[in-house]
Each structure stands twice: as structure tokens, then as C-alpha cells.
């Protein structure tokens, strides 16, 4: 990437990048900023200022003189080398994803390995947000079922936990209707699909008590998800039904498990 001139950052994008890297709470230290600027051959033109303003002054000065962002990218790569974050994986992922929201505007992305790769240039804030979703990254690392992303893509990419779990829960009902041809919904759909006398969905051969227990267990898990999430979120205003990131991850992982069990239906 150093062999060609990379596009310049617009002022507001550069400011966002500097605020992310120089965050007062968990950003680079002043000493680290000075050393990495030196390594990147960027003059430290405003060393007495706050961290993010110090970075902005240095980056803007270098970029204006050289009409490209190459050395700024060198700084970013050095600042986000994975080896710097041993024991601080969560900080690394959060910082990298926030940085990638800004890099998207010049068609660049920093991978988990600390290497740059070219991507399609983002033109809107929403597009940049979508590419760097922290929730999506965490779900991918958990190897969740593809149906999760299929049903709640837009909501996931803007980290809307409320609608993510709502849409994902609806995916179970849609999946059962496709498998059975039924038009029912909610508990009636689950109970008819998993009837022990005339099952339309079977996850085993229903020959033993253990088989039947497992079969009904999945049915009850699905009914539980409908009761816990779908019915609740459908009738409660979003402001009253708060879902944290950790809760969303746990719920979406459970829905993923249900889909994976349905994949094995016989």
C-alpha cells in the first residue's frame, strides 16, 4: 500500500480518526503517540495539545504537505498492531472497528492481523457503520447460523439490539412454516410442527423416551423464545424493553442453536 498514494482524508473523517485513536479514556498514551509519530516520519507539530488534537495537527500538517494519507496509515497500522493488545483483545477489536469506520471513506480496512486491504469506498456514515459493526463481528466469531444475518442484517449492522433479536426470533417461525407448509404462528405453530403423534418436523426418529424428550425439548425452547422475545417485543415500546449487547449475543446464539438443530431435521 505504500507504493501508491492513498487518498487524503476529509477534515471531518480525519478528526473522527484522531478522536478514536487518542480517546482520553482508552486511547493511546501521550508517550505512545510521540513514539509512533516518530516511527511514521510525521512531525509532532503540536505536542502540548490534547491527545486527539495533537494527532489531528500532525496528521493534517503532513497530509496537506504530501497530498496523500500514506504516513497516516503507517501510524494507524503501528498503533493497532495486535501484539500491542495482548491481554486487551476487547479494546483492540473495538478500536479497530471504530478506526475502520473512518478508513472506509478512503477505501481501506485494517484486518485483525494488523494488515491493510483495499475495500469499496464508503460514501455515507451509515455505510461505514455497517461495515464495522462490533455486534456482527462478535456473532461471526461465535459462528452463528447464517439465518441470523439473513433475517436481521440491517438491524445488526447498526447495532440495534432490540430489533436484532426481534427479527431473529421471527426467523424461527418463518423457518418452521417453510418446513411444514403451515400458516400458523407462535405456540400453535411450534406445537403442531413438533406433535409427537403426527410430527411435521422431527430431529430424531422418536423411538425412545430420550428421543421424545429431546424432540419436545426443542419445541419448548422455541416456544420459550416466542414468549420471551417475540411476544414481549411486539407489545412493548422499545424504550421499555431494553436489551444490552451481552443479552443480544446470548439470545442470538440461542436462536442460532435452534436453526442448527433444525438443519439436522430428518
Amino acid at each position: 500500500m505504500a507504493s501508491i498514494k492513498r487518498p487524503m482524508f476529509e477534515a471531518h473523517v480525519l478528526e473522527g480518526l484522531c478522536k478514536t485513536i487518542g480517546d482520553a479514556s482508552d486511547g493511546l498514551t501521550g508517550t505512545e503517540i510521540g513514539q509512533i509519530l516518530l516511527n511514521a516520519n510525521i512531525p509532532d507539530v503540536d505536542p502540548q495539545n490534547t491527545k486527539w488534537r495533537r494527532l489531528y495537527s500532525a496528521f493534517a500538517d503532513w497530509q496537506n504537505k504530501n497530498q496523500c494519507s500514506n504516513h497516516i496509515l503507517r501510524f494507524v497500522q503501528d498503533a493497532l498492531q495486535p501484539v500491542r493488545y495482548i491481554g486487551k483483545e476487547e479494546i483492540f477489536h473495538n478500536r479497530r472497528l471504530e478506526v475502520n469506520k473512518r478508513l472506509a471513506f478512503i477505501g481501506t480496512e485494517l484486518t485483525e492481523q494488523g494488515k491493510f486491504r483495499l475495500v469499496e469506498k464508503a460514501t455515507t456514515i451509515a455505510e461505514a457503520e455497517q461495515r464495522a459493526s462490533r455486534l456482527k463481528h462478535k456473532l461471526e466469531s461465535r459462528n452463528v447460523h447464517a439465518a441470523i444475518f439473513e433475517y436481521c442484517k440491517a438491524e445488526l449492522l447498526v447495532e440495534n439490539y432490540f430489533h436484532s433479536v426481534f427479527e431473529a426470533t421471527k426467523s424461527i417461525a418463518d423457518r418452521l412454516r417453510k418446513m411444514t407448509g403451515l400458516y400458523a404462528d407462535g405456540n400453535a405453530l411450534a406445537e403442531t410442527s413438533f406433535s409427537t403423534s403426527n410430527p411435521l418436523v422431527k430431529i430424531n426418529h422418536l423411538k425412545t423416551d430420550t428421543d421424545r424428550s429431546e424432540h419436545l425439548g426443542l419445541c419448548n425452547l422455541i416456544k420459550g423464545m416466542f414468549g420471551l422475545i417475540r411476544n414481549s417485543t411486539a407489545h412493548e415500546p422499545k424504550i421499555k424493553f431494553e436489551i444490552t449487547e451481552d443479552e443480544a449475543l446470548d439470545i442470538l446464539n440461542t436462536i442460532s442453536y435452534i436453526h442448527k438443530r433444525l438443519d439436522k431435521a430428518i
Side-chain angles (χ1 to χ4, degrees), residues 162-178:
F162 176 87
H163 282 111
S164 293
V165 299
F166 184 47
E167 293 301 317
T169 306
K170 288 198 298 185
S171 75
I172 301 172
D174 286 350
R175 178 88 182 270
L176 290 178
R177 282 192 285 268
K178 289 177 182 177

Side-chain angles (χ1 to χ4, degrees), residues 138-190:
K138 289 184 177 181
L139 288 169
E140 288 173 338
S141 70
R142 293 182 179 206
N143 193 32
V144 298
H145 194 279
I148 301 296
F149 298 110
E150 178 184 350
Y151 277 81
C152 48
K153 182 177 180 181
E155 288 78 13
L156 278 178
L157 295 179
V158 295
E159 299 185 6
N160 187 325
Y161 307 139
F162 176 87
H163 282 111
S164 293
V165 299
F166 184 47
E167 293 301 317
T169 306
K170 288 198 298 185
S171 75
I172 301 172
D174 286 350
R175 178 88 182 270
L176 290 178
R177 282 192 285 268
K178 289 177 182 177
M179 294 175 72
T180 64
L182 295 171
Y183 291 95
D185 199 8
N187 286 359
L189 173 62

Side-chain angles (χ1 to χ4, degrees), residues 25-26 77 135 165 175 211:
S25 58
D26 69 356
Q77 186 174 34
L135 180 62
V165 299
R175 178 88 182 270
D211 285 350

Side-chain angles (χ1 to χ4, degrees), residues 52-70:
W52 82 261
R53 292 183 185 277
R54 175 185 179 186
L55 279 173
Y56 184 83
S57 296
F59 287 174
D61 177 72
W62 191 91
Q63 183 172 254
N64 290 338
K65 289 178 179 176
N66 294 275
Q67 295 298 297
C68 67
S69 60
N70 290 48

Side-chain angles (χ1 to χ4, degrees), residues 12-234:
H12 67 283
V13 177
L14 189 63
E15 179 178 317
L17 180 65
C18 294
K19 287 181 176 178
T20 297
I21 297 174
D23 181 87
S25 58
D26 69 356
L28 296 173
T29 66
T31 300
E32 288 174 326
I33 288 173
Q35 184 59 54
I36 301 173
L37 283 172
L38 182 63
N39 294 345
N41 292 320
I42 299 176
D44 193 359
V45 297
D46 194 12
Q48 302 306 315
N49 214 328
T50 60
K51 290 191 292 183
W52 82 261
R53 292 183 185 277
R54 175 185 179 186
L55 279 173
Y56 184 83
S57 296
F59 287 174
D61 177 72
W62 191 91
Q63 183 172 254
N64 290 338
K65 289 178 179 176
N66 294 275
Q67 295 298 297
C68 67
S69 60
N70 290 48
H71 283 214
I72 298 172
L73 293 177
R74 185 188 300 179
F75 179 101
V76 170
Q77 186 174 34
D78 192 352
L80 286 173
Q81 277 302 303
V83 69
R84 290 183 180 272
Y85 296 87
I86 295 174
K88 299 184 289 184
E89 184 177 2
E90 187 76 6
I91 293 176
F92 171 72
H93 285 306
N94 289 344
R95 190 174 295 171
R96 183 180 69 87
L97 291 171
E98 287 300 317
V99 164
N100 276 343
K101 292 176 185 179
R102 281 78 188 178
L103 295 181
F105 285 95
I106 64 165
T108 303
E109 179 179 84
L110 188 70
T111 69
E112 288 189 55
Q113 292 73 38
K115 304 294 183 183
F116 285 118
R117 65 183 175 196
L118 300 181
V119 296
E120 185 177 351
K121 187 177 179 180
T123 57
T124 66
I125 294 173
E127 187 179 353
E129 289 274 0
Q130 288 171 4
R131 293 197 195 160
S133 165
R134 181 174 65 248
L135 180 62
K136 182 172 184 289
H137 167 79
K138 289 184 177 181
L139 288 169
E140 288 173 338
S141 70
R142 293 182 179 206
N143 193 32
V144 298
H145 194 279
I148 301 296
F149 298 110
E150 178 184 350
Y151 277 81
C152 48
K153 182 177 180 181
E155 288 78 13
L156 278 178
L157 295 179
V158 295
E159 299 185 6
N160 187 325
Y161 307 139
F162 176 87
H163 282 111
S164 293
V165 299
F166 184 47
E167 293 301 317
T169 306
K170 288 198 298 185
S171 75
I172 301 172
D174 286 350
R175 178 88 182 270
L176 290 178
R177 282 192 285 268
K178 289 177 182 177
M179 294 175 72
T180 64
L182 295 171
Y183 291 95
D185 199 8
N187 286 359
L189 173 62
E191 290 171 354
T192 304
S193 299
F194 287 88
S195 165
T196 53
S197 59
N198 184 31
L200 300 177
V201 175
K202 294 196 297 182
I203 61 172
N204 56 49
H205 294 286
L206 289 174
K207 290 183 177 180
T208 67
D209 288 342
T210 299
D211 285 350
R212 284 187 286 274
S213 178
E214 182 183 44
H215 181 82
L216 290 175
L218 184 60
C219 176
N220 288 331
L221 180 60
I222 291 171
K223 288 164 60 177
M225 291 305 301
F226 288 160
L228 176 65
I229 300 301
R230 191 171 177 197
N231 295 341
S232 300
T233 55

